[in-house]
Amino acid sequence: MSNRDQFGSKIGFILAAAGSAIGLGAIWKFPYMAGTNGGSVFILLFILCTLVIGLPILVAEFMIGRRGQVDAVSSFKKQAPGTPWFLTGWMGFIFSAIILSFYSVVGGWILGYLIRALQFKLTSDHNEFFGKLFADLTINTTEVIVLQGAFLLIIVLIISSGIQNGVEKSSKWMMPILFIFFIILAIRSLTLDGAMAGVKFMFVPDWSYLTFDTLLKALGQAFFSLSVGVAAMLTYASYLKKNENIGSSAVNVAGLNIIISILAGLVIFPAVFALGYSPDQGPGLVFIIIPAVFNQIPFGSFFLIIFFILLLFATITSAIAMLEIVVATAMGDKFEKRKKYAWLCGIGIFIIGIPSALSFGKLANIKIADRSIFDFADFLTNSIGMPIGALLVSLFAGYQLKRIEQLDELPVKPWIFTIWRISVRYIAPIAIIIVLIQGIKG
C-alpha cells in the first residue's frame, strides 16, 4: 500500500478533480445547452442543481474513494465485503472506457482544428466554409484516426508518469492557463459592439423557459459536467491524504465548474449576438459558429488559436480522469506496472473508439437504436451509465455507510451534515431516477 502514489497537495487534487469536471461538458455542451434552452433560466437552474444535487453526490464519491484508498472495484469490495456493490466499480471502469473511446474522437477534431488555426487556415469570407470544413474533417478516415491516436497518446504519456508527476503536475499548469485564456477571450468578446445582448441573454431571465423539461436538462448537465457516476472522482479521491477536507474540496470543484461554465458563456454568447448569429445552433456551435464568429473580429485568427488551445487543455484534463479510472482498476495493486497498463489500456480504448471515429464517414450507415455509433456511445454513457452510477454512489454513501463512518469522513457542522445526508438518501436518488427515465425515453 505504501507504494501507491498520492496527490502531493490539496490544490493539486482540486485542480485535477476540477479538470476532470471542466471538459467538453463545460465548454462545448454547456453553451449549446444554454443556447437552446433560453439562456438565463437554464443557467440559473444549472447552478441550483449543481449545488443542491450534484455537490452532495460529489461529496459521496470523494467519501467512498478516500475511505477506500484503492481503485474503484477494490474500494467497494473493501467497504462492503461479500456484497455485489463492487459491480458499481466495474460499471465505472466500463463506462469510462466507452466515454474515452468517443471523447478521444472529439479530442482529435480539436487537435485538427488547432493545427489548422496555427496554419491560419480557419479564415474565409463565406460562413458555409466552416460547416464544410467540419464535415470534411469528420469524414476523412485517415485524419480522424490519426488525430484520435495522437490525442490518446498525450493522455497515455501523462497517466504513465503517475499521480504526482503526471496527473497533478499537468493539471497544475494546464488549469491556470485555461483560466487566463478564458478571461482574455471573455474580455475580447465583451468589448464587441452589441455584446450586451449576449450578456442579457445569459443573465436576464425569460421565465417562459421555466419548464420541467428545462429543469431536467439542467439537472442532467449538472451531473455530467461534474463527472459524477463513472468513478472518476472516487478514483481521484483514493489518492487523497486522510487529513484533507473533502467537503471544502468538493465545494471548490463544484464552484470552479460553475465559474468556467459561465465564463464559457461569456466567451461565446456576446460574440454570437454581436455578430448576428443565433445562440440555438446546437452541438455545432463550437466547431462551426465560433470559427465563423472569430473570423469577423480584429486579430480573430490569434484569438481562435487561444480558443482551441483552451478547448484542447479542457478536453485533456477530462480525458486524464477517464483513463486513470481504467488504468487504476486494471493495474490493481501492481503499482510498479503503471506504464505498462497505461499503454495497454490506451491502445485498447483507441481500438474501441475507431468505429466512433468512422461513424461520420465510412460507417455512417450503421445505426444502433436509430443512432450512429458515436451518438449511441454518447447516449449509452450520458443518458444511462452516468445516472445509474450516480444513483448507486448516492445509495451506497447514504445507506451502506454507517452514520459514524460518514461523520468520520465529513466532519462538518451538524446542520450541513444533515442536509448532505437527506440529499444523498432521498433528494438525489429521486432526481436521478427521473433524469434516467427521461434519458431513456429520449
Side-chain angles (χ1 to χ4, degrees), residues 118-359:
L118 290 168
Q119 295 173 332
F120 298 103
K121 289 184 177 179
L122 295 181
T123 57
S124 175
D125 293 330
H126 304 286
N127 292 338
E128 295 80 10
F129 165 84
F130 298 102
K132 185 177 185 302
L133 171 67
F134 184 64
D136 289 345
L137 170 63
T138 56
I139 65 172
N140 187 320
T141 300
T142 303
E143 186 172 13
V144 291
I145 291 178
V146 169
L147 289 171
Q148 176 206 4
F151 178 81
L152 274 171
L153 176 62
I154 296 170
I155 311 306
V156 168
L157 291 173
I158 292 171
I159 289 296
S160 63
S161 298
I163 294 301
Q164 280 195 34
N165 292 324
V167 176
E168 183 171 0
K169 190 175 288 184
S170 61
S171 297
K172 273 187 172 180
W173 67 265
M174 276 194 286
M175 291 301 290
I177 291 174
L178 190 147
F179 272 102
I180 292 167
F181 278 7
F182 251 130
I183 291 168
I184 291 170
L185 288 174
I187 291 170
R188 183 67 192 97
S189 186
L190 287 167
T191 53
L192 294 171
D193 289 338
M196 287 304 106
V199 176
K200 182 180 178 183
F201 176 75
M202 287 185 64
F203 297 113
V204 178
D206 177 352
W207 297 112
S208 66
Y209 283 95
L210 186 58
T211 64
F212 184 66
D213 183 58
T214 306
L215 174 62
L216 282 177
K217 288 176 180 176
L219 182 57
Q221 178 66 22
F223 287 148
F224 306 141
S225 65
L226 281 177
S227 292
V228 293
V230 287
M233 297 307 189
L234 188 158
T235 302
Y236 271 0
S238 73
Y239 298 110
L240 197 58
K241 295 173 183 175
K242 282 288 185 181
N243 61 347
E244 299 291 358
N245 187 318
I246 60 171
S248 65
S249 295
V251 170
N252 287 327
V253 171
L256 286 172
N257 186 51
I258 290 170
I259 290 168
I260 282 288
S261 296
I262 291 173
L263 273 175
L266 287 174
V267 169
I268 291 171
F269 293 124
V272 166
F273 274 90
L275 296 167
Y277 290 92
S278 171
D280 58 353
Q281 297 293 325
L285 189 65
V286 164
F287 291 104
I288 299 172
I289 302 302
I290 294 304
V293 166
F294 280 110
N295 197 53
Q296 295 182 39
I297 65 176
F299 305 105
S301 295
F302 169 72
F303 288 110
L304 197 55
I305 290 170
I306 291 179
F307 179 79
F308 280 111
I309 290 174
L310 181 154
L311 193 57
L312 179 64
F313 280 4
T315 310
I316 287 173
T317 54
S318 285
I320 288 170
M322 294 300 109
L323 185 57
E324 177 57 32
I325 301 162
V326 177
V327 171
T329 305
M331 177 176 64
D333 59 2
K334 301 183 181 75
F335 310 124
E336 72 284 356
K337 294 186 178 180
R338 169 176 280 273
K339 287 187 178 180
K340 173 186 174 182
Y341 281 98
W343 282 98
L344 287 174
C345 293
I347 292 168
I349 289 169
F350 170 71
I351 293 168
I352 294 170
I354 290 175
S356 288
L358 301 182
S359 65

Side-chain angles (χ1 to χ4, degrees), residues 48-71:
L48 287 173
C49 289
T50 297
L51 296 176
V52 175
I53 300 172
L55 179 57
I57 299 174
L58 182 59
V59 171
E61 281 215 24
F62 282 174
M63 182 180 288
I64 297 165
R66 211 260 297 274
R67 284 193 84 243
Q69 295 286 297
V70 285
D71 64 90

